[in-house]
Amino acid sequence: MPRAFPPLRAVTPAMLALAGGGVFALAALLLGQGDGLLDTDSAMRLVEVRDLLNGQSWFDLTQRRMNVPDGLTMHWSRLVDAPLALLVRLTGSESFALAAWPLLLFTGLLFVTARLALALAPGRESRAAMAASVLLLLLCAPLFGIFAPGIIDHHGLELLLTATALLGLAERRPRVAATAVALALGVALESLPYAVVAVMLAALWLRNAPGLAFDFGVWLALAALAIFFAVVGLGGAPVCDAYSSIHAVLLTLGGAGLSVLARLPQRRQRLAGLVPLAAGLGAAVLLVNPACLGGPYAGMDPRLGPIFLARINEARPIWQFARMAPSEAIAGYGYGLFALLMTLRAPPSRARTMVLVFALAALAVATAQVRAVPFVIVFALPGLAAALAHLAYGRRLLLAVAVLGCSAASFALAGAALEGHQHLQRRADAFRRQQGCAGAAAIALLQHQRFGRVAAFVDQGPAILARTRDGVLAGPYHRDAEGILDTYALFAGPDPRRVVARRGIDYVMTCSAAPDWEFYRAGGMSGGLVAELARGRMPSWLEPLGRAGDVALYRVRR
């Protein structure tokens, strides 16, 4: 049966979360957030929300101003667009929605983290564990960039939903866990490894708690179908890089199969039935969309590998990322590993086992791709809090010192000291200049011109869409293969005017602080556009229009 909570213990996590959310909001307000949009995905998300509010169909994810003149069908989910659009509609303020949404998500994560700490800590240690979990999350620098005001991409919601799935399993609440699993997959497929782990852990209920397994299976199937019809629709294609019919089929069949097995009278029959169920799910993949066995990028143009995918820092393995950004590797991956190991010092329980399994799965993914580091931290942090409360039980001062010493902030300071001030300062300066490539001052160059089609570096594309009425050649999204390949051909190829003519480009924008500048200059043809501009040679078909820091804008002469 689900674990029962006295009223006070049910209210305490909510009170702690609200207090922590208020502290985080106040800190964000005092620190400020620059000129608003802080990353490419947030800018692109805002464009999607605006299109939805302006009448674009719920099931139409085409960005008509990207990959001009053809447009681009995005792989993102309306599950993220909907609450943002609702906030804008209710308040009439886009700025409020940009600030409020990530703060609401962070407050929700504080609540879930406190509840997980409560599930991990027995008796009198529970209050200390809940308080420690909230403080540790408030001091967790690697998560600030996900929940800062203005950051409205899908990552914050995905972290909250996967943590909620873990909470549902730890508290033996199968309906919560199943619904959170389906919603997390509906938001983005980055949660797929943790969804698989959740289903496997729920299947273990077949041994001694078949009623819980039954509830989990039924709710998983129902939620999967509801999300499919509500977000994808009957006309949706069975794609591999976003929630689609193939995922709905697997979740529905898996949930239904689990519920049927749960009704078998003998434990041996229930467990043995998992083998044909797994085989049936494998057969379903082969029947519906076998290409998805190749992963979310199945069918993608292989030419994107060296010029796009291989250059995404967050997709690098930890050993490569650590050489590039040692302080961030220590503050992120190192801290997640530390929190996982410390979870072993928490009191043994079924909930602790589930936390460890989730955190180990996330650590395996993060070792291959560092983008999964936030999942490691979020899953393991309640275990760290429970361990500290257990080790420092009854000694509040010792607990406070332990929380500070075992926080991500301490790891960040240690990482910065290890990397060295000069090296860290150079990276920080380079990053600030890169941010300027898509900042308000840079995009303002276009706002003074008649709107048209812009060929810019791929990371500038979403900001141009968000701040102007112009169309762009490409954005940093794997589905935009044609736009990315043409961007490379324009800036690094031997015949840029061919791309300009075929695409009807009106303006060209560059940024000498962007990594793309050096990549196009050094890796392209000796007579490529960026190589020529770097030598100070102005092509006759371009007319300079102005500069803003490292950003230059040119008009195409017809």
Side-chain angles (χ1 to χ4, degrees):
M1 293 294 294
R3 186 175 172 181
F5 292 95
L8 181 60
R9 297 184 70 196
V11 171
T12 301
M15 295 179 63
L16 287 170
L18 289 173
V23 170
F24 188 76
L26 180 61
L29 179 66
L30 293 175
L31 293 174
Q33 293 299 324
D35 62 9
L37 298 173
L38 299 182
D39 66 354
T40 56
D41 284 353
S42 295
M44 195 69 245
R45 179 66 65 185
L46 181 57
V47 173
E48 279 202 359
V49 171
R50 286 173 177 169
D51 289 346
L52 181 62
L53 288 171
N54 289 330
Q56 186 172 17
S57 169
W58 174 265
F59 297 107
D60 181 9
L61 295 176
T62 304
Q63 285 302 316
R64 290 170 176 80
R65 291 190 294 138
M66 181 169 283
N67 189 38
V68 289
D70 302 321
L72 175 69
T73 301
M74 294 293 290
H75 62 291
W76 288 358
S77 171
R78 288 294 194 201
L79 290 176
V80 186
D81 297 339
L84 285 162
L86 182 62
L87 280 173
V88 174
R89 186 71 78 191
L90 290 176
T91 64
S93 172
E94 195 174 85
S95 299
F96 177 82
L98 288 173
W101 178 241
L103 295 177
L104 289 172
L105 291 176
F106 187 74
T107 302
L109 186 62
L110 286 168
F111 173 76
V112 171
T113 302
R115 286 289 292 260
L116 276 168
L118 177 61
L120 289 164
R124 296 178 180 179
E125 297 175 10
S126 59
R127 292 181 182 272
M130 286 190 289
S133 70
V134 169
L135 290 174
L136 287 170
L137 201 57
L138 286 172
L139 293 170
C140 194
L143 298 182
F144 292 168
I146 298 175
F147 296 99
I151 303 299
I152 56 172
D153 60 20
H154 66 277
H155 296 105
L157 180 57
E158 196 172 27
L159 282 172
L160 175 58
L161 289 171
T162 51
T164 302
L166 172 57
L167 176 64
L169 292 168
E171 292 186 350
R172 296 166 68 85
R173 299 179 185 273
R175 298 179 182 183
V176 172
T179 304
V181 165
L183 284 171
L185 288 173
V187 167
L189 294 186
E190 290 166 86
S191 59
L192 181 59
Y194 321 116
V196 172
V197 169
V199 172
M200 292 174 65
L201 289 174
L204 294 179
W205 279 331
L206 290 171
R207 295 181 303 172
N208 301 311
L212 297 179
F214 177 82
D215 278 358
F216 182 90
V218 169
W219 278 77
L220 183 66
L222 292 176
L225 289 174
I227 293 170
F228 175 76
F229 288 115
V231 179
V232 180
L234 290 175
V239 297
C240 304
D241 59 352
Y243 189 81
S244 67
S245 58
I246 176 64
H247 308 97
V249 166
L250 291 176
L251 289 178
T252 303
L253 292 178
L258 198 60
S259 62
V260 169
L261 292 178
R263 290 309 192 198
L264 295 178
Q266 296 184 5
R267 178 195 303 179
R268 181 179 301 177
Q269 292 175 329
R270 296 193 295 266
L271 295 177
L274 290 173
V275 176
L277 176 60
L281 294 177
V285 176
L286 294 175
L287 288 173
V288 178
N289 195 351
C292 290
L293 292 174
Y297 296 147
M300 189 186 67
D301 193 317
R303 292 175 295 172
L304 282 188
I307 68 173
F308 178 63
L309 288 180
R311 300 174 56 228
I312 300 175
N313 289 336
E314 66 178 16
R316 297 181 187 275
I318 183 58
W319 54 88
Q320 291 183 9
F321 186 78
R323 289 197 295 268
M324 295 172 49
S327 59
E328 294 170 37
I330 293 172
Y333 186 91
Y335 182 65
L337 177 60
F338 168 76
L340 190 158
L341 294 174
M342 283 294 293
T343 300
L344 294 170
R345 302 299 303 272
S349 66
R350 186 176 297 149
R352 189 190 73 166
T353 300
M354 292 182 174
V355 166
L356 286 170
V357 171
F358 263 73
L360 282 169
L363 185 70
V365 178
T367 302
Q369 290 194 350
V370 293
R371 72 175 79 200
V373 161
F375 289 97
V376 185
I377 295 174
V378 166
F379 295 152
L381 192 144
L384 171 60
L388 294 178
H390 180 66
L391 295 173
Y393 175 64
R395 292 166 287 183
R396 295 184 178 181
L397 180 60
L398 178 60
L399 178 61
V401 172
V403 167
L404 290 175
C406 296
S407 68
S410 296
F411 273 68
L413 291 173
L418 188 64
E419 182 172 348
H421 175 74
Q422 290 185 342
H423 188 267
L424 186 62
Q425 189 63 49
R426 283 196 299 271
R427 286 204 304 113
D429 291 342
F431 179 70
R432 278 192 291 269
R433 289 181 62 195
Q434 290 170 28
Q435 282 189 311
C437 294
I443 308 305
L445 293 172
L446 281 165
Q447 293 169 347
H448 298 132
Q449 309 298 326
R450 295 187 60 176
F451 68 90
R453 298 174 181 176
V454 184
F457 294 168
V458 292
D459 284 341
Q460 293 175 296
I464 293 172
L465 294 184
R467 297 183 186 274
T468 74
R469 294 186 297 163
D470 298 297
V472 296
L473 176 55
Y477 307 108
H478 66 273
R479 283 196 179 183
D480 193 13
E482 293 180 357
I484 294 172
L485 291 170
D486 273 353
T487 299
Y488 183 82
L490 190 154
F491 287 114
D495 191 5
R497 296 193 68 178
R498 185 176 181 180
V499 176
V500 167
R502 178 163 48 83
R503 292 277 191 163
I505 299 299
D506 301 296
Y507 304 100
V508 173
M509 179 176 278
T510 65
C511 182
S512 57
D516 282 352
W517 175 272
E518 181 60 25
F519 180 74
Y520 293 145
R521 186 196 66 81
M525 304 291 293
S526 60
L529 178 57
V530 167
E532 290 294 286
L533 293 174
R535 297 188 188 102
R537 300 174 183 172
M538 179 63 59
S540 60
W541 53 276
L542 286 182
E543 173 191 352
L545 291 178
R547 300 189 65 92
D550 298 300
V551 177
L553 179 66
Y554 308 90
R555 177 186 287 117
V556 175
R557 289 193 174 108
R558 302 299 183 191

